[in-house]
Amino acid sequence: MNNKIQKITPNLWFDTQAEQAAELYTSIFQNSKIGRITHHGKDNHGIPEGTVMTVEFQLDGQEFVALNGGPYFKFTEAISFIVNCEDQDELDYFWEKLSEGGDEKAQNCGWLKDKYGVSWQIIPSALTEMVSDPDPEKSERVMKALLQTKSKIDIKTLMQAYEG
């Protein structure tokens, strides 16, 4: 990790899987690494001494912290991580890697939940421009096509809707 502290760092609360999640995520994203790992001390609300407490890691240069805090809190779709993809191959790669072992019922409109319950949006980089096009007919066609997507986004379908 670098010496300069990032202003805002997402903290992900896991039951006991912080280290495994950090290892998975850093294996998927380029320019990623695991940093400092801390361990629980004595008398920590029933969590065994010496078990992993926090894992600092970077995904494509963005810093995160994963915490093993016990089963008290669960991830929801209220927070998700957007992965902007340049082409269908990149989109397919991230979708395949992050959806593996996740909840298939939670896959819709480019959103997925990974096997730890973390929500991700795997989207084409051009999506924002298409849905914010000044021509309301173009943007509405794209939104309609997007909302009909039952799992992974197909960029070709969105482009066809955009072009009419």
Side-chain angles (χ1 to χ4, degrees), residues 114-138:
D114 68 22
K115 65 183 177 180
Y116 303 107
V118 175
S119 291
W120 300 83
Q121 295 180 56
I122 313 302
I123 64 169
S125 299
L127 180 61
T128 302
E129 288 182 34
M130 287 190 281
V131 297
S132 61
D133 191 286
D135 181 343
E137 290 182 12
K138 285 183 173 183

Side-chain angles (χ1 to χ4, degrees), residues 17-87:
Q17 314 92 336
E19 191 170 21
Q20 295 90 336
E23 289 171 355
L24 173 67
Y25 301 152
T26 57
S27 75
I28 294 171
F29 292 87
Q30 292 183 358
N31 188 26
S32 299
K33 62 184 175 182
I34 293 180
R36 181 176 36 203
I37 298 174
T38 64
H39 296 83
H40 284 283
K42 294 180 184 178
D43 302 323
N44 196 2
H45 306 287
I47 298 173
E49 181 179 359
T51 60
V52 171
M53 182 170 67
T54 63
V55 179
E56 295 175 5
F57 63 102
Q58 289 183 2
L59 299 181
D60 201 15
Q62 166 72 45
E63 294 183 28
F64 291 80
V65 173
L67 165 73
N68 281 331
Y72 310 107
F73 302 107
K74 302 287 184 221
F75 294 111
T76 74
E77 293 83 354
I79 297 289
S80 62
F81 296 105
I82 297 171
V83 180
N84 290 294
C85 301
E86 293 303 316
D87 56 33

